[in-house]
Amino acid sequence: MHSFTTAGAIAAAVAILPSVSAHGHVQGIMANGKYTPNTTPNWIYGTKPVSPGWYAKDQDNGFVAPDSYGSPDIICHKEATPGANSVEVAAGSKMTLFWDTWPVSHHGPVTDYLARCPGDCTAVDKTRLNFFPIDKVGLLDGSVNPGNWASDTLIANNNSWTVTIPADLAPGYFVLRHEIIGLHSAGNANGAQSYPQCINVHITGSGTKRPCDSGAPCAKGTALYKATDAGILINIYQSLSSYTIPGPAVWSGWTKSKRFSQIWKA
């Protein structure tokens, strides 16, 4: 579940760091009171960093287009391979993701998925991961186009996003798939822009729930969206009374997550 709180001094400090280009990426993570630098697109240019973020070929800070939703690139970005370690986070606690920047014009939803790994995620086959959403926020106010979106909240919070890890989850190693979908050109076929970011997390605690083993709406990364989904092919430059966030519904086994339904009504 997302927390609408400012991220504090660390978010402000991260926000002033230089960015690679107009689009963004997650450059840091705060969990269990500890800040961890994330893998950035610059990883390819020198000594490969040992970090929890996945290593993607997104050096242009670019996006994955709808015509690639059936390819492995949509899972964790272009040609992504697993991170080298994990961020530890307690179930029931908050985790903040710091983007280096995000364009004001790129309005759209912010979503967070988890997928349990059979091991520590450092060598996992991404195409075998089953993802379930723990947080999905889309349109907040559609009365005046292009509307007020989750991405606008992220920008207002110094380019940061805070998500709560479900308290009932059985401990283990997971891939957190955090994503912004830019809808500024989504009125055209193949115009939506997906920016998936994957981070290995080690969730601790005493929970017992395993969503994908108990009927949760889990899906492979390549089956999360279709190019023709209502939340992918949409003209946001009109008054909107509702917006259907792409992908499966938020896991209802975590009672707090019912606050954010798959359709966010403005």
Side-chain angles (χ1 to χ4, degrees):
M1 183 178 68
H2 174 65
S3 174
F4 289 99
T5 59
T6 58
I10 289 180
V14 171
I16 65 174
L17 294 175
S19 61
V20 175
S21 66
H23 303 133
H25 56 265
V26 173
Q27 64 178 5
I29 308 116
M30 173 66 80
N32 285 1
K34 178 182 178 182
Y35 179 81
T36 301
N38 192 39
T39 305
T40 72
N42 290 332
W43 70 266
I44 201 168
Y45 300 120
T47 301
K48 189 175 181 179
V50 178
S51 52
W54 282 46
Y55 305 97
K57 298 290 182 68
D58 60 342
Q59 280 63 52
D60 60 351
N61 264 335
F63 57 88
V64 180
D67 62 4
S68 293
Y69 283 173
S71 83
D73 283 349
I74 190 58
I75 303 173
C76 292
H77 221 313
K78 297 174 183 176
E79 300 180 47
T81 57
N85 56 19
S86 299
V87 172
E88 186 169 294
V89 58
S93 69
K94 291 180 171 58
M95 184 175 181
T96 300
L97 307 168
F98 300 98
W99 287 72
D100 66 321
T101 188
W102 189 253
V104 174
S105 62
H106 287 30
H107 305 283
V110 181
T111 61
D112 291 279
Y113 293 77
L114 285 172
R116 184 181 292 273
C117 297
D120 64 5
C121 299
T122 60
V124 72
D125 179 352
K126 62 189 174 186
T127 65
R128 298 178 66 87
L129 291 171
N130 288 304
F131 289 93
F132 58 96
I134 59 169
D135 181 34
K136 298 172 71 173
V137 185
L139 180 67
L140 303 176
D141 183 354
S143 58
V144 179
N145 72 65
N148 182 22
W149 295 83
S151 60
D152 300 308
T153 298
L154 180 145
I155 293 170
N157 285 338
N158 291 314
N159 296 316
S160 72
W161 190 260
T162 299
V163 63
T164 300
I165 302 299
D168 297 338
L169 272 181
Y173 290 90
F174 294 78
V175 173
L176 173 71
R177 182 182 182 276
H178 171 72
E179 181 182 35
I180 305 176
I181 303 177
L183 300 176
H184 50 292
S185 299
N188 301 313
N190 208 43
Q193 299 181 359
S194 292
Y195 297 82
Q197 311 278 299
C198 285
I199 299 161
N200 294 342
V201 295
H202 179 206
I203 297 176
T204 62
S206 57
T208 59
K209 292 191 176 180
R210 294 175 173 261
C212 294
D213 295 339
S214 56
C218 299
K220 296 290 193 294
T222 53
L224 292 174
Y225 318 131
K226 297 190 299 294
T228 55
D229 285 348
I232 296 296
L233 184 58
I234 182 173
N235 175 17
I236 65 171
Y237 301 101
Q238 59 180 321
S239 294
L240 297 171
S241 60
S242 65
Y243 169 73
T244 303
I245 304 175
V250 170
W251 174 41
S252 61
W254 182 37
T255 54
K256 291 182 180 180
S257 68
K258 292 179 181 177
R259 176 181 173 188
F260 299 106
S261 63
Q262 191 173 13
I263 299 180
W264 185 283
K265 292 188 177 180

